[in-house]
Amino acid sequence: MKSNIIEFEKFKLKTDKNVFSPRGDIELFPQALKKIIKNKNEILELGTGTGAISIALAKHFNNINILATDINPYALKIAKHNAMLNKVDDIIKFKESNWFLNLEKRKFDFIVSNPPYLSKKNYIYYKELTDPYNSLYSKNNGLDDVYKIIRHGVNYLKKDSCMIIEHSHNQTLYLKNYSKKFGLKLLRSEKDILGFNRVSIFSNWT
């Protein structure tokens, strides 16, 4: 398995040119969950890629269970390898699925995802990115996949639970307004190193 090694604060990952390569923004997910996570939480990650987000959560928090999904079986192979590499394969289970398509009607405390959210219209600005095209770009000005996750994801959330989604900073207001249609409210957004909104928390808290 030809790959490169990326090192983060608490773990290392093997990556591959055919799988989205994680950035430092993955550390925003544990940061977003830190004040709201509880014991024995069930977490669903959509589009796990190398497994980076799930592994980051498993390394930061105790007593959680994670189901990580991806449409790409090769990505799942890489992710499983990384879970074993970081000794969290007992915490994370993997399943091939196109978003929610192959999932049973199971409820989770948290749904987390870094979906494709770049607009194809702006391709010229991202030509240097070498990740698989479908891991970067989405229709409807980059909003199509995020909207799908919000629209369908509410059916997979337990009561008083949250979705944590990475997105472009200029999509924050669109997502805030769209999520309201499905009984969700924007709790807050975590900012990246440049000070832009990057990971937002949407809750069905009553």
Side-chain angles (χ1 to χ4, degrees):
M1 184 185 295
K2 187 177 180 180
S3 59
N4 298 311
I5 296 289
I6 296 180
E7 187 166 350
F8 293 95
E9 180 184 353
K10 293 190 175 184
F11 60 96
K12 296 180 180 180
L13 293 174
K14 285 193 174 184
T15 63
D16 185 274
K17 65 179 181 179
N18 297 308
V19 182
F20 178 80
S21 183
R23 282 63 156 166
D25 291 339
I26 63 169
E27 297 292 346
L28 294 179
F29 284 87
Q31 184 175 316
L33 278 168
K34 185 163 57 174
K35 294 181 180 180
I36 55 178
I37 199 165
K38 301 175 183 177
N39 285 334
K40 298 183 179 178
N41 278 175
E42 300 284 333
I43 300 173
L44 169 65
E45 186 195 358
L46 300 168
T48 193
T50 61
I53 293 173
S54 285
I55 292 169
L57 296 177
K59 299 290 277 188
H60 276 82
F61 303 111
N62 296 320
N63 208 6
I64 61 173
N65 291 302
I66 302 172
L67 175 62
T69 71
D70 204 285
I71 192 175
N72 181 355
Y74 185 69
L76 290 174
K77 182 179 179 181
I78 296 282
K80 289 177 183 177
H81 177 89
N82 282 328
M84 290 187 287
L85 178 68
N86 287 280
K87 297 180 174 57
V88 292
D89 50 306
D90 58 328
I91 298 173
I92 309 170
K93 306 303 178 188
F94 296 93
K95 186 177 181 66
E96 185 177 340
S97 183
N98 181 4
W99 300 140
F100 300 95
L101 192 61
N102 296 334
L103 298 184
E104 301 173 358
K105 290 295 182 180
R106 177 179 165 191
K107 302 282 188 177
F108 296 87
D109 298 288
F110 298 100
I111 296 174
V112 302
S113 184
N114 176 16
Y117 58 76
L118 299 181
S119 173
K120 297 176 182 178
K121 297 177 183 178
N122 297 326
Y123 172 75
I124 189 171
Y125 300 112
Y126 305 111
K127 289 191 297 183
E128 75 282 0
L129 298 178
T130 59
D131 305 277
Y133 188 86
N134 65 356
S135 71
L136 296 172
Y137 298 95
S138 187
K139 298 176 183 178
N140 190 16
N141 292 320
L143 289 163
D144 190 63
D145 286 291
V146 185
Y147 278 177
K148 285 179 182 177
I149 291 171
I150 291 174
R151 184 167 66 249
H152 297 291
V154 291
N155 299 314
Y156 293 83
L157 280 180
K158 295 179 184 178
K159 184 180 178 181
D160 298 330
S161 299
C162 299
M163 292 186 202
I164 297 94
I165 302 174
E166 182 169 338
H167 57 85
S168 176
H169 69 95
N170 58 12
Q171 295 170 339
T172 308
L173 186 58
Y174 291 102
L175 299 183
K176 179 181 179 180
N177 292 334
Y178 188 78
S179 65
K180 286 181 181 178
K181 299 178 182 179
F182 302 94
L184 300 175
K185 59 183 176 182
L186 174 62
L187 293 184
R188 69 175 189 275
S189 297
E190 299 289 346
K191 299 184 184 300
D192 61 20
I193 58 173
L194 298 177
F196 293 117
N197 289 346
R198 185 61 58 200
V199 173
S200 290
I201 307 171
F202 303 90
S203 172
N204 63 1
W205 291 355
T206 54

